Amino acid sequence: MEFVQSADFWIGLMKIVWINIILSGDNAVVIALAARSLPPEQQKKAVFWGSGAAVVLRILLTVVAAKLLELSFLQIIGGCLLLWIGFQLLGGGDEEEGESKTYGSLMAAVRTILIADLVMSLDNVIAVAAAAHGNVLLLILGLAISIPLVIFGSTLMIKLMERFPVIVTLGAALIGWVGGETIANDVALHDYALAHPAFHYVAAALGATLVLAGGKFWAARSRQQRIEA
């Protein structure tokens, strides 16, 4: 364990923690959006379990991320998943009531957090892996330390969303933007993206627009169905 006492180890650890602080902003938004409709005690559970499990998945993903990113259509599928999650978070309901329904919502929130974090972390984990330089202990410690940072960010976002509802719309747009970026970054579209430099931004903007329009339409339709019922 002599390497733990070296300056390189602690510098590498600080790099990983700092990278996670910078790159976890959008993940905190997803967690907050997924948990915002739950009762306060369920929100804490969703944030804790969702963040913890997401970081564990990120550690496992780091080992194979570089290879995964070489697979054609993987990021297209992941981007479409993010767009779908954005639809659900913006247009999804707080309609469910009752104890059993709340428990189901908690599970759904944790599942949404895991799927979204998995997709959104594909690019991020490469930076973390580079900072770790193959040191598994450094990787695990750095990501583990980032858990409370993500939890704090998510908790803060939930409070802000309750006070400023417009943040919910902005958060959903962010998810759509990242979804569009993820699709544009796919290996299958690499040559097209090189030939058309604006493609990356057009895809991101289109993703944000689709989530906002689709989510609002879905929410309006759900309200209309409840009124008619």
Side-chain angles (χ1 to χ4, degrees), residues 8-81:
D8 288 341
F9 175 85
W10 293 105
I11 291 172
L13 182 61
M14 292 306 298
K15 283 182 181 177
I16 292 175
V17 172
W18 184 242
I19 287 170
N20 275 284
I21 292 174
I22 296 172
L23 298 180
S24 293
D26 48 4
N27 301 82
V29 171
V30 170
I31 293 171
L33 281 170
R36 69 186 173 91
S37 61
L38 301 175
E41 65 276 7
Q42 298 284 15
Q43 285 180 357
K44 293 177 182 177
K45 291 179 182 178
V47 169
F48 177 80
W49 290 110
S51 302
V55 170
V56 172
L57 273 180
R58 204 179 295 188
I59 293 173
L60 299 176
L61 182 63
T62 302
V63 181
V64 295
K67 291 296 181 184
L68 286 176
L69 289 175
E70 294 175 2
L71 299 177
S72 297
F73 302 107
L74 178 66
Q75 292 198 77
I76 292 177
I77 295 172
C80 290
L81 272 175

Side-chain angles (χ1 to χ4, degrees), residues 183-205:
I183 292 172
N185 287 335
D186 192 88
V187 174
L189 300 174
H190 178 69
D191 293 338
Y192 183 85
L194 283 179
H196 302 82
F199 173 65
H200 182 86
Y201 299 102
V202 171

Side-chain angles (χ1 to χ4, degrees), residues 26-27 29-30 33 75-76 78-90 116 119-120 167-185 199-215:
D26 48 4
N27 301 82
V29 171
V30 170
L33 281 170
Q75 292 198 77
I76 292 177
C80 290
L81 272 175
L82 280 181
L83 294 179
W84 177 249
I85 287 172
F87 291 150
Q88 289 185 313
L89 293 178
L90 187 59
V119 175
M120 297 169 82
I167 295 178
V168 174
T169 301
L170 295 176
L174 173 62
I175 295 172
W177 182 276
V178 175
E181 281 185 325
T182 303
I183 292 172
N185 287 335
F199 173 65
H200 182 86
Y201 299 102
V202 171
L206 184 59
T209 303
L210 283 173
V211 167
L212 290 177

Side-chain angles (χ1 to χ4, degrees), residues 84 87-89 91-92 213-223:
W84 177 249
F87 291 150
Q88 289 185 313
L89 293 178
K216 293 296 185 182
F217 174 78
W218 190 351
R221 184 180 178 185
S222 297
R223 283 194 298 270

